[in-house]
Amino acid sequence: MLSFVYGTLKRGQPNHHLLQNPSNGKGKYLGTAKTHEKWPLVVGSRHNIPYILDCPGKGHNVMGEVFEIDNTMLAALDRLEGHPIYYQRTDINVTLVQDADGNPLQNQTPVTCMFYVLRNFKDHMMELPFLEEYKNGIPLKYNPHSDRDEEDHRVDVMHI
């Protein structure tokens, strides 16, 4: 199956190691992609976490990466993203614009991938700046799981 990642799971980002670890299953990078629809990609919570809010048609066509994953990797991603309580896994249509070597694709290929979206978000999340692409530290630096307190940060961004 295909997974579209847009935040900390992208190459060079803080949680990408999860996709590289063979004990988590298969995570083969296929290339860079852009969403067909516009989506609001924001950075929120006290930990500066990237979220795509479940509000298609708002924001930008988001840039991300496509990985081919197996069921073992899917389970690892679900654990990281807190699916189905925190993020929700759903399908998204994207177009591959670069191959795995970074070469532009002449015949850009549309594909359907699974990705994680935040539903039941608080109203203020739609007032945050919408990004076209997530890069850690721009505009805010991500706070990794290992550096977080025990308090539930989900209350910052969603109705619980």
Side-chain angles (χ1 to χ4, degrees):
M1 83 185 59
L2 300 179
S3 176
F4 175 74
V5 300
Y6 56 84
T8 64
L9 286 165
K10 292 187 335 180
R11 294 171 309 136
Q13 299 303 319
N15 288 324
H16 181 67
H17 61 89
L18 187 121
L19 282 163
Q20 293 179 304
N21 186 341
S23 68
N24 291 327
K26 177 183 176 183
K28 179 183 177 187
Y29 175 66
L30 300 181
T32 303
K34 184 180 245 186
T35 62
H36 287 194
E37 275 191 280
K38 293 181 178 186
W39 290 86
L41 169 60
V42 301
V43 174
S45 93
R46 69 191 79 171
H47 300 299
N48 303 320
I49 299 169
Y51 300 95
I52 286 185
L53 306 177
D54 190 15
C55 197
K58 308 274 186 189
H60 300 285
N61 298 94
V62 175
M63 295 297 295
E65 298 174 348
V66 174
F67 287 83
E68 184 178 356
I69 62 170
D70 61 13
N71 286 333
T72 305
M73 182 62 75
L74 177 63
L77 295 178
D78 281 352
R79 280 190 302 277
L80 175 74
E81 305 294 13
H83 171 74
I85 296 166
Y86 190 20
Y87 288 87
Q88 300 287 311
R89 179 170 21 98
T90 190
D91 289 339
I92 190 169
N93 295 315
V94 301
T95 298
L96 282 166
V97 296
Q98 286 185 340
D99 66 18
D101 296 322
N103 300 313
L105 294 172
Q106 298 303 319
N107 297 320
Q108 297 184 352
T109 309
V111 293
T112 299
C113 302
M114 55 70 63
F115 84 126
Y116 296 92
V117 65
L118 185 67
R119 295 188 175 135
N120 201 26
F121 54 86
K122 291 185 175 180
D123 292 343
H124 78 275
M125 297 291 284
M126 287 296 291
E127 297 169 11
L128 295 170
F130 296 157
L131 307 175
E132 220 173 310
E133 183 173 11
Y134 173 79
K135 294 179 182 171
N136 186 29
I138 305 170
L140 301 165
K141 186 162 174 50
Y142 175 76
N143 187 26
H145 293 265
S146 59
D147 295 344
R148 297 182 191 171
D149 55 29
E150 293 297 318
E151 191 173 339
D152 189 352
H153 65 276
R154 294 177 301 167
V155 299
D156 296 348
V157 298
M158 64 187 292
H159 302 285
I160 297 181

